[in-house]
Amino acid sequence: MHGENLQEWIKHIGYLGIWAIIFAESGLMIGFFLPGDSLLFTAGFLASQNFLNIFVLIFGAFACAVFGDNVGYATGHRFGRRLFQKEDSRIFKRKYLIQTQNFYAKHGQKTIVLARFMPIVRTFAPIVAGTAAMRYKTFMTYNLIGGAVWTVGVTLLGFFLGKVIPDVDKYLLPIIAVIILVSIAPSIWHVVAEHRSAKNSPPDEPQETYEPQEK
């Protein structure tokens, strides 16, 4: 979606549309494909042009991001084992859960914060946390931190660039492209690292399987 098209789209859907997308991408499995980073950045830019109120925008985005993660956690806590056994469909891909679980196993609790900046992973991280029986108090702490850093940071970046750079809207497309690239870079690095590790592992080494553990 081009920068100008994204701006018009955001103007059309308004606050409720923005918040609904942030909620869906944070905790609903069908939301993994949604453009959270570019959406927040562009919405922040539009706030700098007085199309939106920055405080209302950030508060709603933060609340929906935190609430969305809570829904994902509850889903994983209640249906986690079934999800890992579920067959692939057009919407649900079990590999996304497995990839997120491997990332979670490597990076632990801070995954809840790191995942906010990683498309796909941010959708499934709270589900994996719930499946792994991560203590809710611990999860909520990281959820609040990650939700604040992501929604406030990315939105304010768009807001302040819109204020200090003349005609920044002309550069929205490359800026959004950079944001997307930075967002997916950790995922690419993780996949490459896993591939190298698997390639260098002994052929008879057993594959690790998912086992939920108390956190």
Side-chain angles (χ1 to χ4, degrees), residues 1-162:
M1 183 177 291
H2 295 292
E4 292 182 0
N5 292 339
L6 183 57
Q7 290 181 61
E8 293 302 319
W9 186 58
I10 291 174
K11 291 177 185 178
H12 179 71
I13 63 176
Y15 294 110
L16 293 180
I18 295 169
W19 297 338
I21 290 172
I22 296 302
F23 168 77
E25 191 176 11
S26 296
L28 302 182
M29 288 186 293
I30 60 173
F32 68 90
F33 63 89
L34 295 171
D37 300 307
S38 55
L39 178 75
L40 288 173
F41 178 85
T42 306
F45 164 74
L46 289 175
S48 75
Q49 308 301 305
N50 300 316
F51 287 105
L52 298 168
N53 182 287
I54 187 64
F55 299 106
V56 174
L57 174 64
I58 287 178
F59 178 80
F62 169 72
C64 289
V66 171
F67 183 52
D69 260 27
N70 272 273
V71 171
Y73 178 92
T75 301
H77 190 72
R78 185 168 184 179
F79 305 108
R81 287 185 176 273
R82 298 180 192 175
L83 291 174
F84 276 90
Q85 297 168 357
K86 183 178 175 64
E87 295 296 328
D88 286 350
S89 64
R90 288 185 178 181
I91 296 177
F92 175 79
K93 300 296 181 183
R94 186 171 51 185
K95 68 178 182 179
Y96 296 145
L97 272 175
I98 301 298
Q99 290 171 358
T100 305
Q101 189 273 329
N102 291 337
F103 190 86
Y104 179 83
K106 182 175 181 179
H107 297 283
Q109 297 165 345
K110 65 177 180 286
T111 295
I112 304 302
V113 177
L114 295 175
R116 287 292 186 181
F117 299 90
M118 301 174 65
I120 298 179
V121 175
R122 69 168 148 254
T123 302
F124 292 98
I127 298 174
V128 171
T131 304
M134 183 179 188
R135 289 182 58 193
Y136 181 74
K137 183 178 180 180
T138 302
F139 167 79
M140 192 59 181
T141 299
Y142 286 92
N143 181 19
L144 289 170
I145 295 172
V149 173
W150 183 52
T151 56
V152 177
V154 177
T155 306
L156 285 182
L157 177 63
F159 180 80
F160 286 120
L161 287 181

Side-chain angles (χ1 to χ4, degrees), residues 158-169:
F159 180 80
F160 286 120
L161 287 181
K163 287 290 188 183
V164 302
I165 300 178
D167 300 322
V168 71
D169 54 314

